[in-house]
Amino acid sequence: MSTSAKYWRGIPQRYRLEAERCASCGMEFFPPRLVCSGCGARKFMPITLGDHGKLLTYTVIRVGPSEFCEQTPYAMGIVELEGGVRMTAQIADVDFDDLEVGMPVRIEFRKIREEGQAGILCYGYKFVPAD
Amino acid sequence: MAGIIGYGAYVPRNRIKVEEIAKVWGADAPSYKRGLMLQEKSVPSPDQDVITMSVEATKHALARAQIDPARIGAVYVGSESHPYAVKPSGTVLAEAIGATPEVHCADFEFACKAGSEAMFVCMGLADAGSIEYGLAVGADTSQGAPSDALEYSAAAGAASFIIGRDPGVAKVIDTYAFMTDTPDFWRRSYMHYPRHAGRFTGEPAYFKHITSCANGIMEKVNMKPKDFAYVVFHQPNGKFPQRVGKMLGFTKEQIEPGWLSPTLGNTYSGSSPMGLTATLDVAKPGDMILMVSYGSGAGSDGFVFEVTGKIDEVRNVAPRTRELLDKKKYIEYGTYAKYRRKIRMGE
Ligand SMILES: [Zn+2]
């Protein structure tokens, strides 16, 4: 089944890291949500996340889904961005020996997947070492 | 006249050496290295294409331009390797940087000249007053057929320019164009690799168009080679830009800063635009720069720029092009063949 519509709806987050900050307690959410999990408030202000953060944890995928066979093995990580939002994505352009909890990373725009040979190309964010 | 308000480049991390390609095809690496003045070339990862490189180069250009992307009225991406056959690269780029929806997008294609023509059109629109800022990108992830001479040079990279009505970091003094119908290099629909007319790609194609365009614009602005601090030519390999520079009366020193091809390869639509970014990285206020692109088919766009005092404020705001070129990881031919999809996979 095509995921084009789902991908399209997520473009503001996938391309531009559009997020929200709770108007009453200041907690940041990515992706945006309806109710603040910190204080229960429902008013948010739109923000754009910064593109630098630090690696909280990671793993190396050595047996990946067949559509990612060109990239296997590859590293996945959870990163805490400046501002506190945590997100999961692939860590590209990294030598596995250099992977370290706490390492500085930044976000790059990459192709995430292809919907088969004839489908759409899906773009979004990945992490790369911030050197 | 219009000016370059911000500029930026992007180079993928992977490199493959001439020796590594020559080894696979039983070719003589030293003669290729000497003949083409090429050492290695950049290779995109499987998750990188013209769109992703354009976005990253444009982030650098925006950092230097310090403008609100919503004020960009035109987004033009020049490439011969747009990821889609039908669907614009420009809309993804415009969406990724926040220039949508009040923006005009178009994808350009003209072999290696598509990037400079995006610049050319943005300058015209800025001068005409129909846009406040225009974004012009030259980017490619081109492929040469395995074992073909082009396989040693076809590389990946992008250059991005924010063009505006003010002089910015480099004022456009004049533009010029020289075109003829010359079938020196082409790719038909559904064909994976381009074809070229061998030696024909030299004299009547690259050299004729670049010298004619360079002489034409120098005559138009009444300047001589010695009046320029730097010159940037299209770089299909390391040798051609040096030779055409000598033919025109430029020195090695004038060519050097923008001469990236020996360790980058030919980034096609990105080639002379990336050379310009590397030249702006080292230029001083008041320097005059001549840039002449070349695209097979065939034609050259010529530009004369005057660098302004603003260059010193912005050049270190984003990575310099040669810094990007120095960050590299060598890969073997097998990895390269996998990354460039030269291996036939099962269904
Ligand atoms: Zn809250």
Side-chain angles (χ1 to χ4, degrees):
Chain A
M1 196 196 78
S2 166
T3 55
S4 306
K6 188 177 165 220
Y7 164 73
W8 179 73
R9 280 194 295 272
I11 279 177
Q13 286 75 48
R14 294 174 201 273
Y15 288 14
R16 297 189 298 269
L17 306 176
E18 288 186 5
E20 280 183 348
R21 181 180 291 136
C22 173
S24 60
C25 79
M27 211 166 159
E28 293 180 3
F29 294 99
F30 179 86
R33 46 162 72 207
L34 289 173
V35 181
C36 175
S37 63
C39 71
R42 288 167 180 268
K43 264 191 81 178
F44 296 91
M45 288 167 309
I47 56 166
T48 300
L49 299 177
D51 59 1
H52 279 73
K54 63 174 199 290
L55 189 60
L56 293 182
T57 184
Y58 63 89
T59 187
V60 174
I61 309 286
R62 295 185 188 276
V63 183
S66 60
E67 68 171 299
F68 296 119
C69 69
E70 287 170 337
Q71 297 178 57
T72 310
Y74 57 90
M76 293 291 297
I78 297 175
V79 165
E80 185 171 289
L81 295 177
E82 290 158 6
V85 163
R86 293 177 178 192
M87 53 207 278
T88 304
Q90 188 180 330
I91 311 162
D93 288 359
V94 69
D95 300 318
F96 298 152
D97 289 343
D98 297 339
L99 282 168
E100 202 180 348
V101 169
M103 76 183 279
V105 294
R106 63 183 171 80
I107 280 170
E108 268 201 17
F109 193 79
R110 297 286 176 117
K111 186 167 69 186
I112 305 301
R113 60 183 295 262
E114 300 177 12
E115 289 190 348
Q117 285 211 341
I120 66 161
L121 306 173
C122 301
Y123 295 93
Y125 52 83
K126 289 190 181 182
F127 304 119
V128 295
D131 47 52
Chain B
M1 276 298 261
I4 295 173
I5 312 300
Y7 68 94
Y10 185 81
V11 187
R13 186 176 73 140
N14 311 303
R15 300 284 182 284
I16 188 165
K17 293 189 177 198
V18 164
E19 287 88 344
E20 182 66 19
I21 300 172
K23 189 174 76 187
V24 171
W25 301 111
D28 183 40
S31 71
Y32 266 102
K33 291 177 79 170
R34 207 173 40 243
L36 298 173
M37 293 175 85
L38 276 178
Q39 295 162 42
E40 58 200 47
K41 67 166 189 173
S42 62
V43 180
S45 289
D47 61 354
Q48 293 178 307
D49 60 21
V50 162
I51 289 174
T52 67
M53 295 192 306
S54 297
V55 171
E56 289 301 318
T58 300
K59 284 187 194 168
H60 296 153
L62 279 168
R64 288 192 172 106
Q66 290 295 321
I67 59 153
D68 176 1
R71 289 161 70 186
I72 294 174
V75 171
Y76 299 140
V77 181
S79 180
E80 61 115 66
S81 49
H82 290 289
Y84 286 96
V86 178
K87 188 190 178 298
S89 300
T91 50
V92 184
L93 170 60
E95 194 79 59
I97 61 165
T100 48
E102 289 188 317
V103 61
H104 183 247
C105 289
D107 284 7
F108 291 179
E109 185 278 320
F110 189 148
C112 299
K113 194 179 80 65
S116 70
E117 68 200 22
M119 297 166 68
F120 197 102
V121 173
C122 279
M123 289 166 190
L125 290 173
D127 277 340
S130 37
I131 55 169
E132 186 178 10
Y133 296 109
L135 169 58
V137 177
D140 257 308
T141 57
S142 300
Q143 298 226 44
S147 95
D148 186 272
L150 288 183
E151 189 180 20
Y152 295 86
S153 57
S160 175
F161 298 89
I162 312 282
I163 313 280
R165 296 176 197 169
D166 308 322
V169 301
K171 186 180 170 190
V172 182
I173 301 300
D174 217 332
T175 60
Y176 181 81
F178 185 92
M179 315 275 139
T180 69
D181 180 12
T182 307
D184 57 327
F185 168 101
W186 61 91
R187 181 165 61 83
R188 296 275 302 276
S189 293
Y190 307 109
M191 292 291 118
H192 195 57
Y193 298 115
R195 293 268 302 271
H196 56 89
R199 292 202 163 273
F200 186 53
T201 61
E203 296 309 329
Y206 179 88
F207 293 101
K208 176 187 158 185
H209 289 80
I210 289 194
T211 53
S212 302
C213 183
N215 285 324
I217 193 167
M218 284 194 286
E219 193 178 323
K220 202 176 168 197
V221 297
N222 197 21
M223 290 175 73
K224 299 254 180 304
K226 64 168 173 46
D227 299 326
F228 293 93
Y230 303 110
V231 64
V232 181
F233 300 112
H234 172 52
Q235 304 165 36
N237 50 52
K239 192 177 185 176
F240 277 25
Q242 290 288 354
R243 217 175 106 198
V244 82
K246 207 173 161 190
M247 286 165 70
L248 284 161
F250 289 94
T251 64
K252 276 202 163 93
E253 291 69 33
Q254 286 168 297
I255 300 171
E256 189 73 38
W259 188 48
L260 304 172
S261 48
T263 51
L264 174 63
N266 178 7
T267 55
Y268 285 59
S269 304
S271 178
S272 51
M274 291 176 77
L276 179 61
T277 65
T279 303
L280 289 170
D281 280 342
V282 300
K284 294 182 299 296
D287 281 351
M288 302 297 292
I289 301 173
L290 172 65
M291 170 181 157
V292 183
S293 65
Y294 174 72
S296 292
S300 286
D301 297 329
F303 306 86
V304 171
F305 300 104
E306 182 180 352
V307 179
T308 75
K310 204 121 202 256
I311 191 74
D312 293 328
E313 296 167 32
V314 309
R315 92 174 91 223
N316 290 325
V317 171
R320 296 188 189 202
T321 302
R322 282 191 188 271
E323 287 169 21
L324 299 168
L325 201 52
D326 288 344
K327 276 198 267 180
K328 57 189 169 185
K329 183 190 180 179
Y330 290 106
I331 57 173
E332 296 180 336
Y333 195 90
T335 304
Y336 160 76
K338 179 176 78 168
Y339 282 2
R340 301 308 285 137
R341 298 194 172 163
K342 291 173 191 288
I343 300 172
R344 191 180 292 251
M345 305 291 285
E347 292 299 308

